[in-house]
Amino acid sequence: GDSVTQTEGQVALSEEDFLTIHCNYSASGYPALFWYVQYPGEGPQFLFRASRDKEKGSSRGFEATYNKEATSFHLQKASVQESDSAVYYCALSDRDMGYKLTFGTGTSLLVDP
Amino acid sequence: EAAVTQSPRNKVTVTGGNVTLSCRQTNSHNYMYWYRQDTGHGLRLIHYSYGAGNLQIGDVPDGYKATRTTQEDFFLLLELASPSQTSLYFCASSDAGGDNYAEQFFGPGTRLTVL
């Protein structure tokens, strides 16, 4: 079945550092790829998506590019802020299964001021 | 603003107990989903529905039933709760269809503890 792998379980940075969170996927079809963010005590929130190869998604200074050949959708931000501290989930959407989301295990980002 | 509400927010029950988790969305979305969130697993889909009266099986359905009574309301039922079902449960809705991979809107979650 489909799967998403996030290699970093936790990332600790200082404000203004560059962020990369790696996401690789495995899917039988041509999925859409998503990033969601979850703050403590809340449900996940949609950050952005990309639906086709080489498409870039972006929001709030975060961005990722759909790379079909490398099966990747890595999240990046040029300069993180303390308010970016949260858990980030990469996910893929499968139309053949009701557009359900298959999530990675999440990456906890902690940004020190 | 899309709105998904869940009740109760916290629930404690005993092994073998009967639990119903409720979800309501006011977005007029067609799809609704139930996920569970566990450390080391991310979120995993239990059941989903694309309209009133419809139910589809997700990835981890064992021990769970669900029912979609209206466009707005989706319920998750645990008829014989077990400690392995202790988890944080999220409901979500989306307006997906065709080539539209619409984002899902999540509720605030229900923390269930089975003793």
Side-chain angles (χ1 to χ4, degrees), chain A residues 2-109:
Chain A
D2 297 347
S3 66
V4 175
T5 301
Q6 292 179 240
T7 51
E8 298 96 352
Q10 296 183 39
V11 174
L13 296 173
S14 299
E15 280 195 329
E16 300 183 10
D17 281 352
F18 187 90
L19 169 70
T20 298
I21 297 176
H22 294 93
C23 172
N24 289 90
Y25 70 92
S26 173
S28 55
Y30 199 147
L33 303 175
F34 293 76
W35 278 100
Y36 279 78
V37 59
Q38 186 176 22
Y39 299 99
E42 299 181 7
Q45 299 175 19
F46 170 77
L47 196 53
F48 57 81
R49 85 177 143 255
S51 301
R52 55 188 180 278
D53 191 23
K54 298 181 178 54
E55 180 181 357
K56 177 188 284 188
S58 65
S59 176
R60 310 184 210 173
F62 294 90
E63 62 180 37
T65 300
Y66 195 136
N67 187 327
K68 193 169 188 297
E69 182 177 13
T71 61
S72 68
F73 193 53
H74 305 318
L75 181 69
Q76 294 187 321
K77 187 175 185 183
S79 176
V80 295
Q81 302 301 311
E82 186 180 8
S83 58
D84 293 328
S85 297
V87 179
Y88 292 82
Y89 288 96
C90 183
L92 65 82
S93 183
D94 181 348
R95 177 166 52 186
D96 293 336
M97 275 283 282
Y99 303 89
K100 69 150 188 166
L101 290 169
T102 298
F103 286 87
T105 51
T107 298
S108 177
L109 172 64

